[in-house]
Amino acid sequence: MSTQAEPARRGSSLARSLPVLLVRAAHPRQALVTALAMGAAAGLTGRPLREIGLVAGTVLVGQAILGWDNDLVDRERDARHETPGKPVAQGLLDAGTVWFTLLCAVLLVVPLSVSAGVVAGGAYLAALVVGVLGNRVLRGSVLSWLPWAVQFALYPAYLAYGGWNGQGADTPPTVAMTALAALLGVCVHVLRALPGLVPDNQDGWRHLPLWIALRTGAPRLLVLASVLTGLVVVAMLVVGQAVGLT
């Protein structure tokens, strides 16, 4: 019996270890998907493998920062609503530890961003600042989509101006690609908000996804947002092939 219990204890100990808890608080799925998507976008523009790796690594660190910041801002709400998968709200992870890790990640993401070029790095760091502000303002209003749109609209500039050791292009991204990226950000915002519509409604929030869901129903909104997201991605691929990123 003790032999069977030993692996379970080891598994529980590993799940509650500091590295695993920090990864869980960083919104790892969203961070990994965004990093892979940005790396793929860099690859589609013809960037060499080392630059693709730089883009993906930079975005992964940046997304982890946004995830930690979100869990720190929402720890009281998450605790009140007993939101699963939130180690800070559950008391498994100390908020001070997360703040320290977040600040260390900031010290890492700044040189990573600027290594692609000052303009490119500035665009990506500006996107991070917008994301951090988005965690704090406009979240509960009908303008909740605005930080997401601005943040995603800055991503084409990061890709357009970026290059290895700052040796990137000096031409801006196309207006069409920037607009589509902004629209993609709004779609992602809607999809990300859907699982939390009930607690958001209980707290009296009226952000755009909730405002729409109250009129259309959450299942219909999920279908509409998924279809629109797919169409936007296809449009970005078509525009990228037709006119390029810059």
Side-chain angles (χ1 to χ4, degrees):
M1 186 173 181
S2 61
T3 303
Q4 294 176 346
E6 187 64 27
R9 285 198 296 268
R10 286 200 299 266
S12 176
S13 177
L14 179 62
R16 291 173 176 265
S17 65
L18 181 59
V20 172
L21 291 174
L22 284 172
V23 169
R24 287 174 56 195
H27 298 196
R29 283 179 293 185
Q30 180 179 342
L32 188 59
V33 169
T34 305
L36 290 176
M38 289 288 285
L44 290 174
T45 62
R47 304 272 286 275
L49 184 60
R50 63 181 183 179
E51 293 186 19
I52 295 174
L54 176 62
V55 168
T58 302
V59 173
L60 185 63
V61 176
Q63 287 295 309
I65 291 172
L66 294 177
W68 288 322
D69 182 67
N70 180 266
D71 273 19
L72 287 168
V73 172
D74 283 354
R75 62 184 182 273
E76 293 183 0
R77 289 187 71 241
D78 291 335
R80 186 168 64 251
H81 294 292
E82 298 181 349
T83 307
K86 300 291 184 178
V88 179
Q90 294 168 347
L92 301 174
L93 186 59
D94 181 66
T97 301
V98 181
W99 273 117
F100 176 78
T101 307
L102 187 154
L103 293 175
C104 290
V106 169
L107 295 177
L108 176 61
V109 80
V110 171
L112 279 175
S113 302
V114 177
S115 67
V118 175
V119 178
Y124 185 70
L125 293 175
L128 283 185
V129 171
V130 171
V132 169
L133 291 176
N135 281 335
R136 290 163 170 79
V137 297
L138 301 179
R139 290 181 64 192
S141 75
V142 73
L143 294 176
S144 62
W145 56 272
L146 185 58
W148 287 83
V150 174
Q151 182 181 357
F152 273 66
L154 288 166
Y155 288 159
Y158 170 58
L159 294 175
Y161 291 113
W164 188 257
N165 199 26
Q167 301 300 315
D170 57 359
T171 52
T174 62
V175 174
M177 191 63 74
T178 301
L180 286 171
L183 182 57
L184 179 62
V186 177
C187 293
V188 172
H189 166 48
V190 174
L191 292 173
R192 287 285 300 156
L194 283 171
L197 290 181
V198 172
D200 290 348
N201 189 36
Q202 292 173 348
D203 287 344
W205 287 14
R206 285 299 179 268
H207 51 62
L208 180 64
L210 180 57
W211 186 87
I212 299 174
L214 290 173
R215 288 156 178 78
T216 65
R220 184 176 298 178
L221 178 57
L222 173 61
V223 173
L224 292 174
S226 300
V227 171
L228 182 57
T229 301
L231 291 175
V232 172
V233 172
V234 170
M236 294 179 75
L237 292 173
V238 171
V239 170
Q241 291 295 319
V243 299
L245 175 64
T246 61

